[in-house]
């Protein structure tokens, strides 16, 4: 029962997905509710936990699929190759988000410069 009901949640990436969904939805929810305020206070920590869970999931499956993708991608079927590419893109996006979720990193960042850099980068993409 442990493998079926507990480990499967982590192995399939369900835990990290649910954690990220909570973190994302908290970004748009108003903080008038006491439960929402409590979750907002630990939002960064939840993001870090979700990132570590997702990275563990990707390492476990990456041992096979990432190695095969970079050594002999022609043997992979289209669905596996697509999932591997999407995973690599999501990992590349997730790592900077995980780093900026640490309070010690956020304290050293100037919010104004960070926002200006992000908006500048976004505006370049849509020109």
């Amino acid at each position: 029962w442990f493998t079926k009901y507990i480990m499967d949640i982590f192995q399939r990436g369900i835990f990290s997905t649910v954690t990220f969904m909570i973190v994302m939805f908290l970004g748009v929810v108003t903080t008038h509710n006491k439960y929402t305020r409590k979750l907002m206070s630990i939002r960064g920590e939840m993001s870090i936990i979700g990132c570590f869970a997702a990275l563990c999931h990707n390492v476990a499956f990456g041992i096979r699929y990432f190695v095969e993708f970079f050594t002999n991608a022609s043997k992979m079927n289209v669905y596996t190759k697509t999932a591997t590419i999407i995973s690599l893109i999501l990992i590349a996006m997730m790592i900077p988000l995980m780093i900026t979720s640490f309070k010690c990193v956020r304290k050293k960042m100037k919010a104004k410069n960070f926002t200006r850099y992000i908006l500048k980068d976004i505006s370049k993409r849509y020109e």
Side-chain angles (χ1 to χ4, degrees):
W1 69 268
F2 181 77
T3 303
K4 184 177 180 180
Y5 295 109
I6 305 298
M7 290 305 295
D8 197 46
I9 292 171
F10 293 95
Q11 183 181 8
R12 294 183 180 264
I14 297 169
F15 177 77
S16 58
T17 303
V18 169
T19 305
F20 284 131
M21 288 174 65
I22 293 169
V23 168
M24 287 186 291
F25 284 125
L26 281 173
V28 297
V29 175
T30 58
T31 58
H32 293 66
N33 185 323
K34 71 177 182 176
Y35 300 111
T36 307
R37 281 195 301 269
K38 180 64 179 163
L39 286 173
M40 283 296 283
S41 69
I42 59 169
R43 186 174 175 222
E45 289 81 359
M46 288 175 59
S47 176
I48 295 167
I49 290 169
C51 287
F52 280 128
L55 286 174
C56 290
H57 167 80
N58 280 290
V59 166
F61 285 94
I63 290 170
R64 175 178 175 202
Y65 295 112
F66 294 155
V67 171
E68 188 176 345
F69 180 75
F70 288 113
T71 58
N72 197 0
S74 60
K75 284 188 175 181
M76 299 174 80
N77 66 39
V78 174
Y79 301 114
T80 307
K81 195 182 298 186
T82 304
T84 304
I85 292 168
I86 291 170
S87 293
L88 290 169
I89 292 168
L90 291 175
I91 291 169
M93 291 170 48
M94 182 180 62
I95 289 175
L97 294 173
M98 180 180 72
I99 292 169
T100 57
S101 292
F102 285 97
K103 287 183 181 180
C104 60
V105 173
R106 283 196 313 252
K107 286 180 182 179
K108 292 182 180 181
M109 293 171 47
K110 295 180 181 176
K112 189 175 182 179
N113 292 339
F114 180 73
T115 307
R116 186 179 308 139
Y117 172 76
I118 295 296
L119 292 176
K120 183 177 165 184
D121 186 48
I122 290 171
S123 65
K124 281 183 182 178
R125 290 182 190 173
Y126 294 105
E127 286 179 350

